[in-house]
């Protein structure tokens, strides 16, 4: 994994992510940038949230859960291993931790907490925050090799516990909800995902065999993978659109240039200020 840029400057939805009625679920870790708002619950392996993150549902972490200062969780926080809760965090339900609990000052847990391991009450700098600060400093001074070695060492320490799935990465100041997923960064959605809500980003890439129950809107290029269904409009202000084999947009498409691979469909109106390219399958010579 290369770290030549800030790891939280893009929305990354890994393969197989599914948004159900009350939560977004993924097999890997969940990394949430500071001041992001998630209007439903979160379920993942390790859940790590930056400063002032708001979660309107429940957090379920199979591994560790780390919440930075001033985070606000509307419902329960259920942790399969250890939990690290920063200063002035608010939890609207109860906190249940199967392992150790490290908790900061002035934390408000409305329905109480329990932990099976050690409980330490203090105000430490969360480990994930310290790691990102150190990595960012290394990148700023051009020590990319040192940063790569640090990440490799951490991965080796985890051993067999490291998940096979890529993490769900939510950038700073993002808003994720049933109505819309809004980010001011590029967005990459993996294959075999099922999402609800209109997706708004700087640039969009959607993988194969996805179902997006909403529209896509970006300032720059948009690509839609094979067999993916977009249940809404697809709009880009200044970019091009590519629809791969058997991709289907059930609404309108508006863009600069449009390329339709064989089997791609647009149910609505196509508005392109540039070229429209419709590819065909190769035919055998008679």
């Amino acid at each position: 994994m290369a770290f030549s840029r800030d790891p939280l400057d893009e929305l990354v939805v890994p393969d197989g992510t599914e948004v159900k009625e009350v939560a977004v679920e993924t097999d890997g870790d969940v990394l949430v940038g500071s001041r992001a708002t998630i209007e439903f619950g979160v379920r993942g392996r390790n859940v790590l949230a930056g400063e002032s993150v708001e979660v309107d549902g429940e957090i379920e972490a199979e591994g560790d859960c780390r919440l930075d200062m001033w985070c606000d969780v509307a419902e329960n926080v259920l942790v399969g291993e250890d939990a690290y809760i920063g200063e002035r965090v608010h939890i609207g339900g109860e906190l249940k931790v199967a392992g150790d609990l490290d908790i900061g000052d002035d934390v408000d847990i409305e329905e109480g907490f329990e932990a099976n391991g050690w409980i330490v009450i203090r105000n430490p700098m969360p480990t994930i925050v310290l790691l990102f600060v150190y990595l960012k400093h290394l990148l700023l001074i051009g020590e990319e090799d040192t940063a790569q070695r640090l990440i490799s060492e951490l991965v080796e320490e985890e051993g067999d516990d490291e998940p096979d799935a890529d993490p769900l990465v939510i950038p700073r100041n993002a808003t994720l909800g049933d109505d819309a997923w809004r980010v001011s960064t590029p967005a990459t959605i993996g294959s075999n995902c099922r999402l609800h809500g209109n997706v708004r980003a700087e640039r969009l890439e959607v993988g194969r065999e996805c179902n997006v129950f909403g529209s896509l809107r970006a300032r720059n290029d948009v690509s839609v993978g094979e067999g993916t269904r977009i249940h809404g409009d697809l709009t880009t202000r200044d970019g091009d659109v590519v629809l791969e084999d058997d991709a289907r947009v059930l609404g309108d498409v508006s863009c600069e240039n449009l390329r339709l691979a064989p089997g791609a469909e647009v149910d609505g109106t196509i508005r392109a200020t540039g070229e429209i390219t419709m590819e065909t399958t190769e035919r055998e010579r008679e």
Side-chain angles (χ1 to χ4, degrees):
M1 183 182 295
F3 281 86
S4 58
R5 55 182 177 80
D6 191 327
L8 291 175
D9 65 358
E10 181 177 2
L11 172 65
V12 180
V13 181
D15 296 349
T17 299
E18 185 173 358
V19 178
K20 296 187 176 179
E21 185 175 352
V22 295
V24 54
E25 296 186 5
T26 182
D27 294 331
D29 296 342
V30 180
L31 307 179
V32 187
S34 58
R35 296 176 297 280
T37 300
I38 304 174
E39 298 176 355
F40 33 67
V42 175
R43 295 171 185 164
R45 187 175 184 273
N46 298 309
V47 179
L48 306 101
E51 185 177 307
S52 300
V53 168
E54 294 184 14
V55 179
D56 291 346
E58 187 173 82
I59 292 179
E60 293 186 27
E62 294 180 10
D64 293 347
C65 179
R66 303 172 187 266
L67 304 179
D68 203 352
M69 298 183 296
W70 296 300
C71 284
D72 191 341
V73 182
E75 299 180 17
N76 301 326
V77 177
L78 310 176
V79 185
E81 296 181 11
D82 300 333
Y84 304 82
I85 310 299
E87 186 178 12
R88 295 185 174 86
V89 167
H90 171 259
I91 298 175
E94 60 181 338
L95 171 63
K96 289 187 176 182
V97 183
D100 299 336
L101 171 61
D102 196 330
I103 189 168
D105 296 333
D106 200 21
V107 172
D108 181 16
I109 305 173
E110 293 188 9
E111 299 183 14
F113 68 91
E114 61 180 73
N116 292 332
W118 291 97
I119 299 177
V120 179
I121 300 176
R122 56 180 174 168
N123 186 24
M125 186 176 193
T127 305
I128 187 64
V129 178
L130 179 61
L131 175 61
F132 275 127
V133 169
Y134 184 45
L135 283 174
K136 190 169 185 178
H137 174 71
L138 291 175
L139 295 174
L140 286 174
I141 63 176
E143 295 289 340
E144 293 186 10
D145 291 341
T146 303
Q148 183 65 57
R149 284 198 301 271
L150 173 62
I151 292 298
S152 298
E153 290 173 2
L154 291 172
V155 170
E156 289 174 0
E157 288 178 3
E158 291 292 336
D160 295 337
D161 291 335
E162 189 69 15
D164 295 331
D166 292 330
L168 167 62
V169 180
I170 301 171
R172 300 174 182 86
N173 302 305
T175 300
L176 274 61
D178 285 334
D179 178 60
W181 292 40
R182 295 187 180 90
V183 298
S184 57
T185 65
T188 300
I189 299 172
S191 300
N192 300 297
C193 294
R194 181 183 178 92
L195 305 182
H196 291 267
N198 304 311
V199 183
R200 307 287 184 262
E202 178 185 345
R203 185 181 68 251
L204 267 166
E205 180 179 345
V206 184
R208 304 175 57 180
E209 302 295 336
C210 292
N211 262 304
V212 180
F213 294 91
S215 62
L216 302 182
R217 179 176 294 177
R219 286 191 292 270
N220 296 310
D221 296 345
V222 179
S223 65
V224 178
E226 296 179 13
T228 288
R229 299 291 182 267
I230 308 299
H231 298 258
D233 297 335
L234 193 163
T235 305
T236 172
R237 184 187 304 172
D238 302 313
D240 300 339
V241 169
V242 176
L243 302 181
E244 299 292 354
D245 293 354
D246 299 318
R248 183 179 178 185
V249 178
L250 278 67
D252 300 337
V253 172
S254 179
C255 60
E256 290 283 333
N257 301 303
L258 172 63
R259 180 171 71 82
L260 296 169
E265 299 179 26
V266 177
D267 289 7
T269 303
I270 295 176
R271 301 180 181 88
T273 57
E275 298 180 350
I276 299 177
T277 303
M278 303 179 68
E279 299 178 353
T280 57
T281 56
E282 296 183 359
R283 296 181 178 178
E284 295 182 359
R285 293 184 177 180
E286 297 181 356

